[in-house]
mmCIF file of all heavy atoms in Angstrom:
data_model
loop_
_atom_site.group_PDB
_atom_site.id
_atom_site.type_symbol
_atom_site.label_atom_id
_atom_site.label_comp_id
_atom_site.label_asym_id
_atom_site.label_seq_id
_atom_site.Cartn_x
_atom_site.Cartn_y
_atom_site.Cartn_z
ATOM 1 N N GLY D 112 -166.700 -79.901 -110.370
ATOM 2 C CA GLY D 112 -165.242 -79.989 -110.378
ATOM 3 C C GLY D 112 -164.473 -78.733 -110.151
ATOM 4 O O GLY D 112 -163.254 -78.696 -110.444
ATOM 5 N N VAL D 113 -165.105 -77.684 -109.652
ATOM 6 C CA VAL D 113 -164.428 -76.415 -109.416
ATOM 7 C C VAL D 113 -163.798 -76.407 -108.026
ATOM 8 O O VAL D 113 -164.533 -76.668 -107.057
ATOM 9 C CB VAL D 113 -165.402 -75.206 -109.571
ATOM 10 C CG1 VAL D 113 -164.651 -73.898 -109.279
ATOM 11 C CG2 VAL D 113 -165.960 -75.169 -111.010
ATOM 12 N N GLN D 114 -162.519 -76.066 -107.932
ATOM 13 C CA GLN D 114 -161.832 -76.073 -106.650
ATOM 14 C C GLN D 114 -160.908 -74.881 -106.607
ATOM 15 O O GLN D 114 -160.273 -74.523 -107.575
ATOM 16 C CB GLN D 114 -161.041 -77.353 -106.429
ATOM 17 C CG GLN D 114 -161.896 -78.613 -106.353
ATOM 18 C CD GLN D 114 -161.079 -79.848 -106.085
ATOM 19 O OE1 GLN D 114 -159.861 -79.867 -106.308
ATOM 20 N NE2 GLN D 114 -161.710 -80.921 -105.616
ATOM 21 N N GLY D 115 -160.797 -74.268 -105.415
ATOM 22 C CA GLY D 115 -159.906 -73.100 -105.225
ATOM 23 C C GLY D 115 -160.644 -71.805 -105.414
ATOM 24 O O GLY D 115 -161.150 -71.542 -106.524
ATOM 25 N N PHE D 116 -160.714 -70.988 -104.394
ATOM 26 C CA PHE D 116 -161.537 -69.774 -104.397
ATOM 27 C C PHE D 116 -160.702 -68.544 -104.048
ATOM 28 O O PHE D 116 -160.432 -68.262 -102.891
ATOM 29 C CB PHE D 116 -162.732 -69.948 -103.457
ATOM 30 C CG PHE D 116 -163.578 -71.101 -103.837
ATOM 31 C CD1 PHE D 116 -163.392 -72.330 -103.279
ATOM 32 C CD2 PHE D 116 -164.587 -70.976 -104.780
ATOM 33 C CE1 PHE D 116 -164.165 -73.449 -103.639
ATOM 34 C CE2 PHE D 116 -165.369 -72.053 -105.154
ATOM 35 C CZ PHE D 116 -165.147 -73.283 -104.583
ATOM 36 N N THR D 117 -160.263 -67.868 -105.071
ATOM 37 C CA THR D 117 -159.422 -66.677 -104.938
ATOM 38 C C THR D 117 -159.456 -65.886 -106.250
ATOM 39 O O THR D 117 -159.724 -66.455 -107.309
ATOM 40 C CB THR D 117 -157.967 -67.107 -104.623
ATOM 41 O OG1 THR D 117 -157.131 -65.948 -104.628
ATOM 42 C CG2 THR D 117 -157.423 -68.063 -105.644
ATOM 43 N N CYS D 118 -159.169 -64.595 -106.167
ATOM 44 C CA CYS D 118 -159.077 -63.797 -107.391
ATOM 45 C C CYS D 118 -157.659 -63.854 -107.988
ATOM 46 O O CYS D 118 -157.405 -63.264 -109.049
ATOM 47 C CB CYS D 118 -159.477 -62.327 -107.109
ATOM 48 S SG CYS D 118 -158.450 -61.514 -105.925
ATOM 49 N N THR D 119 -156.801 -64.567 -107.282
ATOM 50 C CA THR D 119 -155.409 -64.733 -107.784
ATOM 51 C C THR D 119 -155.114 -66.255 -107.927
ATOM 52 O O THR D 119 -154.286 -66.780 -107.201
ATOM 53 C CB THR D 119 -154.382 -64.075 -106.827
ATOM 54 O OG1 THR D 119 -154.594 -64.581 -105.494
ATOM 55 C CG2 THR D 119 -154.548 -62.583 -106.811
ATOM 56 N N PRO D 120 -155.773 -66.934 -108.852
ATOM 57 C CA PRO D 120 -155.674 -68.407 -108.918
ATOM 58 C C PRO D 120 -154.300 -68.853 -109.323
ATOM 59 O O PRO D 120 -153.901 -70.000 -109.038
ATOM 60 C CB PRO D 120 -156.695 -68.772 -109.985
ATOM 61 C CG PRO D 120 -156.843 -67.502 -110.827
ATOM 62 C CD PRO D 120 -156.708 -66.412 -109.856
ATOM 63 N N TYR D 121 -153.496 -67.976 -109.933
ATOM 64 C CA TYR D 121 -152.131 -68.294 -110.343
ATOM 65 C C TYR D 121 -151.182 -68.472 -109.134
ATOM 66 O O TYR D 121 -150.105 -68.974 -109.305
ATOM 67 C CB TYR D 121 -151.567 -67.208 -111.257
ATOM 68 C CG TYR D 121 -151.925 -65.804 -110.860
ATOM 69 C CD1 TYR D 121 -151.210 -65.119 -109.928
ATOM 70 C CD2 TYR D 121 -153.075 -65.195 -111.399
ATOM 71 C CE1 TYR D 121 -151.605 -63.829 -109.523
ATOM 72 C CE2 TYR D 121 -153.471 -63.911 -111.019
ATOM 73 C CZ TYR D 121 -152.711 -63.254 -110.081
ATOM 74 O OH TYR D 121 -153.107 -61.997 -109.682
ATOM 75 N N TYR D 122 -151.638 -68.088 -107.952
ATOM 76 C CA TYR D 122 -150.856 -68.298 -106.733
ATOM 77 C C TYR D 122 -151.141 -69.679 -106.133
ATOM 78 O O TYR D 122 -150.458 -70.113 -105.216
ATOM 79 C CB TYR D 122 -151.162 -67.273 -105.659
ATOM 80 C CG TYR D 122 -150.636 -65.878 -105.939
ATOM 81 C CD1 TYR D 122 -151.316 -64.751 -105.542
ATOM 82 C CD2 TYR D 122 -149.397 -65.673 -106.621
ATOM 83 C CE1 TYR D 122 -150.789 -63.465 -105.793
ATOM 84 C CE2 TYR D 122 -148.893 -64.444 -106.877
ATOM 85 C CZ TYR D 122 -149.624 -63.306 -106.445
ATOM 86 O OH TYR D 122 -149.132 -62.041 -106.673
ATOM 87 N N ILE D 123 -152.168 -70.388 -106.657
ATOM 88 C CA ILE D 123 -152.432 -71.733 -106.144
ATOM 89 C C ILE D 123 -152.085 -72.721 -107.255
ATOM 90 O O ILE D 123 -150.945 -72.802 -107.648
ATOM 91 C CB ILE D 123 -153.857 -71.823 -105.561
ATOM 92 C CG1 ILE D 123 -154.934 -71.323 -106.514
ATOM 93 C CG2 ILE D 123 -153.945 -71.076 -104.243
ATOM 94 C CD1 ILE D 123 -156.360 -71.533 -106.026
ATOM 95 N N ASP D 124 -153.046 -73.479 -107.673
ATOM 96 C CA ASP D 124 -152.710 -74.544 -108.640
ATOM 97 C C ASP D 124 -153.216 -74.283 -110.031
ATOM 98 O O ASP D 124 -153.262 -75.214 -110.862
ATOM 99 C CB ASP D 124 -153.170 -75.914 -108.152
ATOM 100 C CG ASP D 124 -154.691 -75.956 -107.999
ATOM 101 O OD1 ASP D 124 -155.325 -74.912 -108.066
ATOM 102 O OD2 ASP D 124 -155.205 -77.093 -107.747
ATOM 103 N N ASN D 125 -153.667 -73.079 -110.360
ATOM 104 C CA ASN D 125 -154.184 -72.765 -111.672
ATOM 105 C C ASN D 125 -153.271 -71.765 -112.326
ATOM 106 O O ASN D 125 -153.511 -70.545 -112.326
ATOM 107 C CB ASN D 125 -155.609 -72.189 -111.536
ATOM 108 C CG ASN D 125 -156.309 -72.174 -112.908
ATOM 109 O OD1 ASN D 125 -155.745 -72.487 -113.912
ATOM 110 N ND2 ASN D 125 -157.603 -71.819 -112.863
ATOM 111 N N LYS D 126 -152.182 -72.279 -112.889
ATOM 112 C CA LYS D 126 -151.151 -71.415 -113.474
ATOM 113 C C LYS D 126 -150.738 -71.919 -114.849
ATOM 114 O O LYS D 126 -149.774 -72.711 -114.970
ATOM 115 C CB LYS D 126 -149.902 -71.358 -112.515
ATOM 116 C CG LYS D 126 -148.879 -70.318 -112.938
ATOM 117 C CD LYS D 126 -147.753 -70.286 -111.859
ATOM 118 C CE LYS D 126 -146.683 -69.262 -112.260
ATOM 119 N NZ LYS D 126 -145.621 -69.241 -111.236
ATOM 120 N N PRO D 127 -151.442 -71.547 -115.904
ATOM 121 C CA PRO D 127 -151.128 -72.048 -117.226
ATOM 122 C C PRO D 127 -149.796 -71.523 -117.727
ATOM 123 O O PRO D 127 -149.253 -70.551 -117.193
ATOM 124 C CB PRO D 127 -152.277 -71.499 -118.083
ATOM 125 C CG PRO D 127 -152.827 -70.353 -117.295
ATOM 126 C CD PRO D 127 -152.626 -70.704 -115.873
ATOM 127 N N ASN D 128 -149.286 -72.172 -118.739
ATOM 128 C CA ASN D 128 -147.941 -71.838 -119.274
ATOM 129 C C ASN D 128 -148.026 -70.907 -120.461
ATOM 130 O O ASN D 128 -149.103 -70.644 -121.034
ATOM 131 C CB ASN D 128 -147.234 -73.147 -119.667
ATOM 132 C CG ASN D 128 -147.001 -74.039 -118.540
ATOM 133 O OD1 ASN D 128 -146.499 -73.632 -117.466
ATOM 134 N ND2 ASN D 128 -147.346 -75.318 -118.666
ATOM 135 N N LEU D 129 -146.886 -70.402 -120.840
ATOM 136 C CA LEU D 129 -146.731 -69.493 -122.003
ATOM 137 C C LEU D 129 -147.396 -70.058 -123.235
ATOM 138 O O LEU D 129 -147.154 -71.151 -123.618
ATOM 139 C CB LEU D 129 -145.250 -69.252 -122.275
ATOM 140 C CG LEU D 129 -144.916 -68.384 -123.463
ATOM 141 C CD1 LEU D 129 -145.357 -66.923 -123.240
ATOM 142 C CD2 LEU D 129 -143.394 -68.416 -123.758
ATOM 143 N N GLY D 130 -148.328 -69.258 -123.813
ATOM 144 C CA GLY D 130 -148.961 -69.621 -125.086
ATOM 145 C C GLY D 130 -150.183 -70.491 -124.924
ATOM 146 O O GLY D 130 -150.857 -70.718 -125.928
ATOM 147 N N GLU D 131 -150.430 -71.014 -123.739
ATOM 148 C CA GLU D 131 -151.604 -71.893 -123.567
ATOM 149 C C GLU D 131 -152.911 -71.068 -123.549
ATOM 150 O O GLU D 131 -152.946 -69.963 -123.021
ATOM 151 C CB GLU D 131 -151.486 -72.711 -122.318
ATOM 152 C CG GLU D 131 -150.372 -73.738 -122.376
ATOM 153 C CD GLU D 131 -150.282 -74.647 -121.165
ATOM 154 O OE1 GLU D 131 -150.588 -74.170 -120.039
ATOM 155 O OE2 GLU D 131 -149.897 -75.819 -121.329
ATOM 156 N N HIS D 132 -153.960 -71.652 -124.101
ATOM 157 C CA HIS D 132 -155.251 -70.930 -124.206
ATOM 158 C C HIS D 132 -156.142 -71.266 -123.011
ATOM 159 O O HIS D 132 -156.200 -72.404 -122.547
ATOM 160 C CB HIS D 132 -155.949 -71.339 -125.489
ATOM 161 C CG HIS D 132 -155.181 -70.902 -126.736
ATOM 162 N ND1 HIS D 132 -155.257 -69.672 -127.255
ATOM 163 C CD2 HIS D 132 -154.288 -71.611 -127.511
ATOM 164 C CE1 HIS D 132 -154.443 -69.590 -128.334
ATOM 165 N NE2 HIS D 132 -153.876 -70.761 -128.506
ATOM 166 N N CYS D 133 -156.859 -70.284 -122.522
ATOM 167 C CA CYS D 133 -157.685 -70.379 -121.320
ATOM 168 C C CYS D 133 -158.969 -69.588 -121.516
ATOM 169 O O CYS D 133 -159.119 -68.823 -122.478
ATOM 170 C CB CYS D 133 -156.915 -69.819 -120.099
ATOM 171 S SG CYS D 133 -155.267 -70.520 -119.886
ATOM 172 N N ALA D 134 -159.877 -69.777 -120.564
ATOM 173 C CA ALA D 134 -161.127 -68.993 -120.540
ATOM 174 C C ALA D 134 -161.341 -68.461 -119.131
ATOM 175 O O ALA D 134 -161.860 -69.170 -118.259
ATOM 176 C CB ALA D 134 -162.331 -69.837 -120.982
ATOM 177 N N TRP D 135 -160.799 -67.297 -118.860
ATOM 178 C CA TRP D 135 -160.866 -66.712 -117.536
ATOM 179 C C TRP D 135 -161.741 -65.495 -117.492
ATOM 180 O O TRP D 135 -161.746 -64.663 -118.428
ATOM 181 C CB TRP D 135 -159.445 -66.316 -117.067
ATOM 182 C CG TRP D 135 -158.568 -67.419 -116.632
ATOM 183 C CD1 TRP D 135 -158.640 -68.723 -116.950
ATOM 184 C CD2 TRP D 135 -157.452 -67.316 -115.717
ATOM 185 N NE1 TRP D 135 -157.668 -69.436 -116.342
ATOM 186 C CE2 TRP D 135 -156.923 -68.622 -115.566
ATOM 187 C CE3 TRP D 135 -156.846 -66.256 -115.081
ATOM 188 C CZ2 TRP D 135 -155.788 -68.891 -114.796
ATOM 189 C CZ3 TRP D 135 -155.731 -66.509 -114.270
ATOM 190 C CH2 TRP D 135 -155.232 -67.826 -114.134
ATOM 191 N N SER D 136 -162.488 -65.319 -116.409
ATOM 192 C CA SER D 136 -163.055 -64.036 -116.053
ATOM 193 C C SER D 136 -162.270 -63.531 -114.842
ATOM 194 O O SER D 136 -161.314 -64.178 -114.424
ATOM 195 C CB SER D 136 -164.563 -64.161 -115.766
ATOM 196 O OG SER D 136 -164.817 -65.216 -114.865
ATOM 197 N N GLU D 137 -162.729 -62.425 -114.222
ATOM 198 C CA GLU D 137 -162.016 -61.688 -113.186
ATOM 199 C C GLU D 137 -160.914 -60.845 -113.835
ATOM 200 O O GLU D 137 -159.890 -61.341 -114.220
ATOM 201 C CB GLU D 137 -161.417 -62.609 -112.127
ATOM 202 C CG GLU D 137 -160.467 -61.932 -111.144
ATOM 203 C CD GLU D 137 -161.043 -60.684 -110.468
ATOM 204 O OE1 GLU D 137 -162.127 -60.810 -109.854
ATOM 205 O OE2 GLU D 137 -160.408 -59.603 -110.578
ATOM 206 N N SER D 138 -161.218 -59.593 -114.018
ATOM 207 C CA SER D 138 -160.349 -58.684 -114.817
ATOM 208 C C SER D 138 -158.888 -58.696 -114.379
ATOM 209 O O SER D 138 -157.985 -58.720 -115.187
ATOM 210 C CB SER D 138 -160.915 -57.309 -114.875
ATOM 211 O OG SER D 138 -160.966 -56.751 -113.566
ATOM 212 N N SER D 139 -158.687 -58.670 -113.029
ATOM 213 C CA SER D 139 -157.288 -58.613 -112.548
ATOM 214 C C SER D 139 -156.554 -59.928 -112.811
ATOM 215 O O SER D 139 -155.343 -59.907 -112.984
ATOM 216 C CB SER D 139 -157.281 -58.304 -111.073
ATOM 217 O OG SER D 139 -157.789 -59.359 -110.280
ATOM 218 N N ALA D 140 -157.303 -61.057 -112.830
ATOM 219 C CA ALA D 140 -156.664 -62.332 -113.085
ATOM 220 C C ALA D 140 -156.336 -62.469 -114.573
ATOM 221 O O ALA D 140 -155.275 -62.969 -114.948
ATOM 222 C CB ALA D 140 -157.602 -63.477 -112.671
ATOM 223 N N VAL D 141 -157.221 -61.984 -115.425
ATOM 224 C CA VAL D 141 -157.035 -62.096 -116.876
ATOM 225 C C VAL D 141 -155.767 -61.301 -117.308
ATOM 226 O O VAL D 141 -154.936 -61.767 -118.105
ATOM 227 C CB VAL D 141 -158.262 -61.611 -117.662
ATOM 228 C CG1 VAL D 141 -157.979 -61.506 -119.151
ATOM 229 C CG2 VAL D 141 -159.440 -62.533 -117.394
ATOM 230 N N ILE D 142 -155.617 -60.110 -116.762
ATOM 231 C CA ILE D 142 -154.522 -59.255 -117.182
ATOM 232 C C ILE D 142 -153.198 -59.863 -116.690
ATOM 233 O O ILE D 142 -152.175 -59.757 -117.380
ATOM 234 C CB ILE D 142 -154.690 -57.793 -116.732
ATOM 235 C CG1 ILE D 142 -153.770 -56.870 -117.505
ATOM 236 C CG2 ILE D 142 -154.522 -57.625 -115.233
ATOM 237 C CD1 ILE D 142 -154.061 -55.401 -117.347
ATOM 238 N N TYR D 143 -153.185 -60.518 -115.541
ATOM 239 C CA TYR D 143 -151.994 -61.210 -115.022
ATOM 240 C C TYR D 143 -151.685 -62.382 -115.912
ATOM 241 O O TYR D 143 -150.555 -62.604 -116.324
ATOM 242 C CB TYR D 143 -152.201 -61.663 -113.605
ATOM 243 C CG TYR D 143 -150.967 -62.164 -112.919
ATOM 244 C CD1 TYR D 143 -150.188 -61.363 -112.065
ATOM 245 C CD2 TYR D 143 -150.521 -63.480 -113.081
ATOM 246 C CE1 TYR D 143 -149.078 -61.809 -111.443
ATOM 247 C CE2 TYR D 143 -149.389 -63.935 -112.455
ATOM 248 C CZ TYR D 143 -148.668 -63.086 -111.612
ATOM 249 O OH TYR D 143 -147.542 -63.566 -111.016
ATOM 250 N N LEU D 144 -152.728 -63.169 -116.266
ATOM 251 C CA LEU D 144 -152.494 -64.359 -117.121
ATOM 252 C C LEU D 144 -151.826 -63.954 -118.430
ATOM 253 O O LEU D 144 -150.875 -64.568 -118.868
ATOM 254 C CB LEU D 144 -153.834 -65.024 -117.364
ATOM 255 C CG LEU D 144 -153.844 -66.229 -118.289
ATOM 256 C CD1 LEU D 144 -154.808 -67.305 -117.833
ATOM 257 C CD2 LEU D 144 -154.210 -65.833 -119.717
ATOM 258 N N ASN D 145 -152.383 -62.912 -119.051
ATOM 259 C CA ASN D 145 -151.847 -62.490 -120.359
ATOM 260 C C ASN D 145 -150.487 -61.822 -120.267
ATOM 261 O O ASN D 145 -149.587 -62.055 -121.070
ATOM 262 C CB ASN D 145 -152.843 -61.501 -121.056
ATOM 263 C CG ASN D 145 -154.017 -62.213 -121.691
ATOM 264 O OD1 ASN D 145 -153.885 -63.129 -122.483
ATOM 265 N ND2 ASN D 145 -155.226 -61.799 -121.272
ATOM 266 N N SER D 146 -150.317 -60.945 -119.269
ATOM 267 C CA SER D 146 -149.123 -60.131 -119.202
ATOM 268 C C SER D 146 -147.928 -60.826 -118.504
ATOM 269 O O SER D 146 -146.822 -60.637 -118.969
ATOM 270 C CB SER D 146 -149.458 -58.853 -118.429
ATOM 271 O OG SER D 146 -150.548 -58.162 -119.011
ATOM 272 N N VAL D 147 -148.218 -61.543 -117.463
ATOM 273 C CA VAL D 147 -147.114 -62.144 -116.682
ATOM 274 C C VAL D 147 -146.855 -63.580 -117.108
ATOM 275 O O VAL D 147 -145.703 -63.972 -117.348
ATOM 276 C CB VAL D 147 -147.431 -62.092 -115.171
ATOM 277 C CG1 VAL D 147 -146.359 -62.826 -114.358
ATOM 278 C CG2 VAL D 147 -147.529 -60.653 -114.691
ATOM 279 N N LEU D 148 -147.895 -64.368 -117.242
ATOM 280 C CA LEU D 148 -147.723 -65.789 -117.632
ATOM 281 C C LEU D 148 -147.550 -65.935 -119.116
ATOM 282 O O LEU D 148 -146.957 -66.949 -119.545
ATOM 283 C CB LEU D 148 -148.944 -66.610 -117.115
ATOM 284 C CG LEU D 148 -149.257 -66.552 -115.640
ATOM 285 C CD1 LEU D 148 -150.461 -67.426 -115.338
ATOM 286 C CD2 LEU D 148 -148.052 -66.961 -114.791
ATOM 287 N N GLY D 149 -148.079 -65.030 -119.899
ATOM 288 C CA GLY D 149 -147.976 -65.161 -121.341
ATOM 289 C C GLY D 149 -148.948 -66.212 -121.881
ATOM 290 O O GLY D 149 -148.842 -66.605 -123.040
#
Side-chain angles (χ1 to χ4, degrees):
V113 178
Q114 296 182 341
F116 300 92
T117 175
C118 62
T119 54
Y121 40 84
Y122 288 147
I123 50 175
D124 62 350
N125 194 354
K126 189 177 180 181
N128 297 312
L129 177 67
E131 291 184 328
H132 297 276
C133 308
W135 282 24
S136 50
E137 169 55 53
S138 62
S139 69
V141 172
I142 197 168
Y143 190 98
L144 177 143
N145 282 306
S146 306
V147 176
L148 304 180

